C-alpha cells in the first residue's frame, strides 16, 4: 500500500475533466433561459447598490439567497451529485449560506448599501462585474465551447465570487460571517480544478483571498480616528 504522502490531488478525483465540463453543458441546456435571468438579477443588485436606501441591503441579500438556494438544488443535488458523492455536502453548505443571507440581510437587516463606496467597495463591484461578464468567457479562452460556460447565479464558482464582491461593497457587521462559506467554496473548487490540471484553477482562490484581504483592510480603515 502506498504511503499517504505519495498521493496527489488527482488521485482523489472522481471524474475526468471532460465529464466535469460536459456536466455544465447538459445543465445549461436543461435550465435555459435561467442564465439570462440570473445575469439580469446580478445587474439589478449592482443597481440597488448604487441607488442605496434602506431597501438595498435586504433586497440584495434576498436575491443572493435565492441564487445560492438555486445552485444548491438545481446544480449540486440534481447534477453534480451524479458524478461526485461530496456534492450533497456542497448543497448543504450552499443552503446554509442562503439561510444565513436571509437571517442576517433580510430578517436582521444587518447589511446596507453605504452612501459612498471606498476603494475596497469599488474593487468589490469589479469582482461582481468579473463574475457576471468575464468569468463565463474564461472557458472560451481555454478552448471550451460556450455551452459549457459557468454563469453567475446558476453555477457555483461565479456565484461565490460575485457574492464576495457584493459583500465587500456592502456595509454591516455580518459580512465576515457571510464570507466564510463563499471563501471555503472558492478554496474547494480551486483544489478540484487543480486536480484536473485546469489553467484557471487559481481564479476562485485568488478572488477569495483578495476579498478577505480587502475586507480586513477596510475594517482597519474604518476604525481609524478621523
Amino acid at each position: 500500500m502506498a504511503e499517504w504522502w505519495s498521493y496527489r490531488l488527482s488521485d482523489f478525483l472522481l471524474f475526468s475533466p471532460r465529464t466535469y465540463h460536459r456536466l455544465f453543458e447538459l445543465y445549461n441546456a436543461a435550465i435555459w433561459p435561467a442564465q439570462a435571468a440570473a445575469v439580469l438579477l446580478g445587474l439589478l443588485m449592482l443597481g440597488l447598490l448604487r441607488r442605496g436606501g434602506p431597501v438595498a441591503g435586504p433586497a440584495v441579500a434576498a436575491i443572493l439567497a435565492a441564487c445560492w438556494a438555486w445552485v444548491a438544488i438545481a446544480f449540486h443535488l440534481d447534477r453534480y451529485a451524479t458524478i461526485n458523492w461530496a456534492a450533497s455536502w456542497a448543497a448543504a453548505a450552499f443552503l446554509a449560506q442562503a439561510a444565513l443571507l436571509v437571517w442576517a440581510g433580510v430578517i436582521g437587516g444587518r447589511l446596507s448599501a453605504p452612501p459612498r463606496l471606498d476603494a475596497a467597495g469599488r474593487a468589490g463591484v469589479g469582482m461582481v462585474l468579473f463574475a457576471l461578464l468575464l468569468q463565463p468567457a474564461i472557458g472560451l479562452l481555454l478552448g471550451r465551447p460556450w455551452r459549457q460556460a459557468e454563469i453567475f447565479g446558476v453555477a457555483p464558482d461565479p456565484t461565490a465570487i460575485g457574492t464576495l464582491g457584493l459583500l465587500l461593497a456592502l456595509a454591516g457587521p455580518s459580512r465576515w460571517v457571510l464570507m466564510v462559506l463563499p471563501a471555503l467554496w472558492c478554496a474547494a473548487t480551486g483544489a478540484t480544478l487543480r486536480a484536473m490540471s485546469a489553467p484557471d484553477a487559481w481564479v476562485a482562490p485568488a478572488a477569495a483571498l483578495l476579498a478577505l484581504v480587502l475586507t480586513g483592510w477596510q475594517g482597519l480603515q474604518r476604525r481609524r480616528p478621523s
Side-chain angles (χ1 to χ4, degrees):
M1 181 177 179
E3 301 295 344
W4 64 267
W5 57 79
S6 66
Y7 287 99
R8 297 174 296 174
L9 275 175
S10 57
D11 294 322
F12 298 95
L13 198 62
L14 302 174
F15 43 83
S16 68
R18 181 178 180 181
T19 299
Y20 180 77
H21 295 302
R22 173 67 172 164
L23 179 75
F24 281 99
E25 183 174 345
L26 296 173
Y27 173 63
N28 282 329
I31 67 170
W32 175 259
Q35 299 92 331
V39 172
L40 289 176
L41 286 175
L43 295 173
L44 173 61
M45 286 188 285
L46 288 178
L48 289 167
L49 185 64
R50 181 176 181 179
R51 182 179 179 182
V55 177
V60 169
I63 295 170
L64 279 178
C67 292
W68 280 77
W70 172 285
V71 175
I73 297 169
F75 179 78
H76 285 305
L77 285 182
D78 289 351
R79 296 286 173 173
Y80 199 21
T82 62
I83 63 171
N84 186 356
W85 61 267
S88 59
W89 292 98
F94 271 63
L95 287 174
Q97 178 69 12
L100 285 171
L101 285 162
V102 171
W103 168 74
V106 181
I107 298 174
R110 297 170 67 85
L111 291 174
S112 61
R116 184 177 180 181
L117 291 175
D118 57 12
R122 291 192 295 271
V125 171
M127 288 179 60
V128 179
L129 291 173
F130 171 82
L132 283 170
L133 306 175
L134 297 181
Q135 192 168 4
I138 290 178
L140 294 175
L141 296 174
L142 296 177
R144 297 195 293 267
W146 62 267
R147 294 182 299 274
Q148 297 178 358
E150 299 179 41
I151 309 297
F152 171 86
V154 295
D157 293 7
T159 300
I161 292 174
T163 298
L164 289 170
L166 284 164
L167 291 172
L168 185 56
L170 290 167
S174 296
R175 291 189 309 155
W176 276 107
V177 175
L178 295 173
M179 283 184 168
V180 171
L181 287 173
L184 287 176
W185 174 259
C186 286
T189 196
T192 300
L193 293 174
R194 173 72 175 172
M196 294 191 296
S197 299
D200 54 337
W202 60 273
V203 172
L209 180 61
L210 175 63
L212 295 176
V213 169
L214 287 176
T215 303
W217 176 82
Q218 202 175 44
L220 291 175
Q221 292 295 111
R222 291 174 179 175
R223 290 191 186 97
R224 283 184 177 178
S226 55

